[in-house]
């Protein structure tokens, strides 16, 4: 923003030009009472540098034909001492290329001494000050935002590190608890007290569920990172691990799980793809009806991708529900099942980061097939 009066440094060695510019500014500022200009004059580059070392100016008018310096050299020295002060260059004659050159070097404007008018001079001064202010303010704001972004990034990294450390510690303690509870469950399996047997079973089941929750939270945090490493997957092992984590839910629902004998070789990230299977199978157990039958399988697509799927024989989904499924906080039956509805949205993010896609095929009354795709290995082999 301009000050009032505007403090202007005119660097010009010709006395007649100095007086001419004073007259131009007197005429123009008489038309605009709010614009007052106080002129400081230096007749050489050396004299101007003395001024610039001792005070701050709102704008500088610089003659490019000073006796003690080449024009562009003078401009560079002036900008070095006053980097945030707008500079308007002056010359008696100039080609368009010369004008463009000084503008590219950082001048706010370039004026010809002998043809400039009072209004044009004042307008150039005011515009130069305002443009420089906007640039400086933008630069300052950008720097502040960059610093705040860096601070937030450092805090996020610290929080992620703390969260991962705490989660792994909790998982370690939880593993011990589940281990001892499993030992007690075995010892009391023949107990005549049904309440004790059920309590032991619930402790072990809850421990495994809690471990799954912690694993998913760690996974959700890791999704914020950039690119991930993908590699050939042992899909049989990945599916078996997902089924192990769901064994209590499978027993509780009395589900039948149909798994193929072999899987095509895909590329992905094992721990993430395990979570994809876990969420799909878990949804099949929840919404596949009483004593559900869940079938797992795969297909080779024409585009070279592999399609993995989980099919249930539940109620099926409407077209509207199918469009909403992979959004955050969407559940298949909100009133029936507890949860935050993040599972399928996590699957969506996981698979897309691995280079694939997700989807569902369903018809009301005829069950649902949830699928995801992954790139196939170039020399495909069964696992």
């Amino acid at each position: 923003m301009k000050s009032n009066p505007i403090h202007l440094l005119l660097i010009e060695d010709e006395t007649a030009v100095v007086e001419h510019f004073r007259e131009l500014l007197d005429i123009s500022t008489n038309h605009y009472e709010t614009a007052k200009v106080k002129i400081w004059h230096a007749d050489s580059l050396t004299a101007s540098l003395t001024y610039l070392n001792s005070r701050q100016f709102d704008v500088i008018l610089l003659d490019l034909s000073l006796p003690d310096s080449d024009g562009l050299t003078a401009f560079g020295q002036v900008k070095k001492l006053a980097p945030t002060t707008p500079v308007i260059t002056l010359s008696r004659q100039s080609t368009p290329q010369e004008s463009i050159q000084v503008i590219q070097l950082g001048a706010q404007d370039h004026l010809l001494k002998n043809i400039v008018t009072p209004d044009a001079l004042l307008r150039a001064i005011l515009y130069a000050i305002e443009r420089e202010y906007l640039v400086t303010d933008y630069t300052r704001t950008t720097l502040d935002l960059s610093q705040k972004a860096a601070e937030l990034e450092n805090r996020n990294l610290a929080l992620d590190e703390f969260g991962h450390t705490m989660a792994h510690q909790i998982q370690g303690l939880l593993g011990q608890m589940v281990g001892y509870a499993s030992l007690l469950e075995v010892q009391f399996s023949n107990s005549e007290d049904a309440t004790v047997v059920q309590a032991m079973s619930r402790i072990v089941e809850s421990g495994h569920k809690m471990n799954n929750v912690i694993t998913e939270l760690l996974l959700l945090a890791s999704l914020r990172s950039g690119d991930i490493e993908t590699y050939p997957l042992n899909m049989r092992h990945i599916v078996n691990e997902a089924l192990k984590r769901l064994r209590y839910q499978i027993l509780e629902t009395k589900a039948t799980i149909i798994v193929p004998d072999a899987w095509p070789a895909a590329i992905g990230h094992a721990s993430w793809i395990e979570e994809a299977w876990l969420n799909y199978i878990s949804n099949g157990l929840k919404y596949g009806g009483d004593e559900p039958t869940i079938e797992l399988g795969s297909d080779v697509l024409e585009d070279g991708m592999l399609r993995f799927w989980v099919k249930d024989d539940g109620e099926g989904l409407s077209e509207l529900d199918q469009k909403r499924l992979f959004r955050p906080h969407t559940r298949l039956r909100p009133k029936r099942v507890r949860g935050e509805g993040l599972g399928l949205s996590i699957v969506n993010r996981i698979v897309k980061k691995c280079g694939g896609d997700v989807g569902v095929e369903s018809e009301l009354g005829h069950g649902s097939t949830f699928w995801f795709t992954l790139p196939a290995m170039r020399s495909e082999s069964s696992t």
Side-chain angles (χ1 to χ4, degrees):
M1 300 295 286
K2 64 182 180 65
S3 61
N4 197 10
I6 295 170
H7 294 275
L8 181 150
L9 176 61
L10 175 58
I11 309 173
E12 170 62 57
D13 62 316
E14 297 182 53
T15 303
V17 174
V18 175
E19 293 305 318
H20 177 58
F21 270 72
R22 289 185 188 276
E23 291 175 5
L24 291 176
L25 289 172
D26 283 341
I27 294 171
S28 62
T29 54
N30 284 336
H31 292 166
Y32 305 97
E33 295 182 357
T34 57
K36 302 299 180 183
V37 180
K38 183 175 181 180
I39 300 176
W40 303 69
H41 172 234
D43 59 4
S44 66
L45 177 62
T46 303
S48 71
L49 298 181
T50 302
Y51 274 127
L52 293 172
N53 276 315
S54 61
R55 62 169 298 117
Q56 179 73 35
F57 293 93
D58 298 307
V59 65
I60 298 169
L61 299 187
L62 172 64
D63 180 17
L64 292 179
S65 56
L66 295 170
D68 60 343
S69 178
D70 169 72
L72 297 182
T73 301
F75 179 81
Q77 290 184 275
V78 167
K79 286 301 292 182
K80 185 176 182 180
L81 284 177
T84 61
T85 302
V87 177
I88 300 173
T89 53
L90 308 171
S91 63
R92 283 200 174 275
Q93 57 184 3
S94 176
T95 65
Q97 289 76 15
E98 290 173 335
S99 299
I100 292 171
Q101 186 178 16
V102 293
I103 296 298
Q104 288 176 337
L105 289 174
Q108 287 287 345
D109 208 339
H110 182 70
L111 303 177
L112 297 179
K113 302 177 188 178
N114 55 332
I115 64 172
V116 67
T117 64
D119 283 351
L121 177 58
L122 181 61
R123 185 165 55 250
I125 290 171
L126 295 177
Y127 286 2
I129 293 172
E130 190 64 24
R131 281 195 298 270
E132 187 67 36
Y133 169 78
L134 292 173
V135 169
T136 302
D137 187 60
Y138 173 79
T139 303
R140 186 187 303 113
T141 301
T142 302
L143 181 60
D144 288 344
L145 289 175
S146 297
Q147 290 175 341
K148 289 179 180 178
E151 291 175 4
L152 287 174
E153 181 65 21
N154 289 334
R155 290 181 184 179
N156 285 338
L157 289 173
L159 286 172
D160 282 348
E161 184 177 350
F162 174 77
H164 276 77
T165 300
M166 292 301 296
H168 286 302
Q169 289 181 352
I170 292 171
Q171 279 187 317
L173 295 172
L174 188 60
Q176 294 182 35
M177 293 172 59
V178 171
Y180 285 121
S182 298
L183 178 62
L184 292 174
E185 183 182 25
V186 171
Q187 290 185 346
F188 286 94
S189 59
N190 296 322
S191 173
E192 296 181 359
D193 191 337
T195 302
V196 172
V197 175
Q198 185 180 31
M200 289 295 100
S201 176
R202 291 296 184 188
I203 291 172
V204 175
E205 178 184 353
S206 296
H208 284 289
K209 286 183 177 180
M210 189 181 297
N211 186 66
N212 287 342
V213 170
I214 295 172
T215 300
E216 290 191 345
L217 287 174
L218 287 170
L219 172 65
L220 189 59
S222 69
L223 285 174
R224 295 190 309 186
S225 61
D227 296 335
I228 55 111
E229 178 187 1
T230 58
Y231 44 81
L233 300 175
N234 183 338
M235 197 61 76
R236 177 188 287 115
H237 176 75
I238 291 171
V239 171
N240 286 340
E241 288 301 307
L243 292 174
K244 285 180 184 178
R245 291 170 61 184
L246 292 169
R247 58 186 176 274
Y248 287 100
Q249 193 174 347
I250 293 170
L251 291 172
E252 185 177 30
T253 57
K254 299 179 181 179
T256 300
I257 309 295
I258 302 172
V259 181
D261 294 330
W263 293 98
I267 299 294
H269 192 74
S271 61
W272 287 17
I273 299 306
E274 182 182 322
E275 291 299 324
W277 282 113
L278 184 96
N279 276 283
Y280 275 1
I281 299 169
S282 177
N283 277 327
L285 296 172
K286 292 175 184 176
Y287 308 109
D290 296 331
E291 299 185 9
T293 297
I294 311 296
E295 183 179 0
L296 281 57
S298 64
D299 303 303
V300 179
L301 303 181
E302 293 181 358
D303 61 1
M305 298 290 284
L306 300 176
R307 182 176 178 266
F308 299 92
W309 45 266
V310 175
K311 182 178 180 181
D312 66 62
D313 53 2
E315 298 176 6
L317 300 163
S318 68
E319 290 186 9
L320 179 61
D321 283 340
Q322 292 178 47
K323 293 177 180 178
R324 296 172 54 245
L325 271 184
F326 293 93
R327 300 175 187 172
H329 306 293
T330 298
R331 294 192 296 269
L332 301 177
R333 300 289 186 275
K335 294 182 180 178
R336 209 181 123 187
V337 178
R338 297 177 60 185
E340 293 303 318
L342 288 171
L344 293 180
S345 69
I346 292 176
V347 172
N348 186 23
R349 293 169 65 183
I350 283 172
V351 172
K352 287 185 176 178
K353 281 209 169 190
C354 290
D357 203 357
V358 298
V360 60
E361 296 172 2
S362 185
E363 184 180 346
L364 286 174
H366 294 84
S368 303
T369 300
F370 285 84
W371 56 265
F372 64 87
T373 61
L374 290 174
M377 285 184 61
R378 290 186 179 180
S379 56
E380 186 174 300
S381 60
S382 296
T383 302

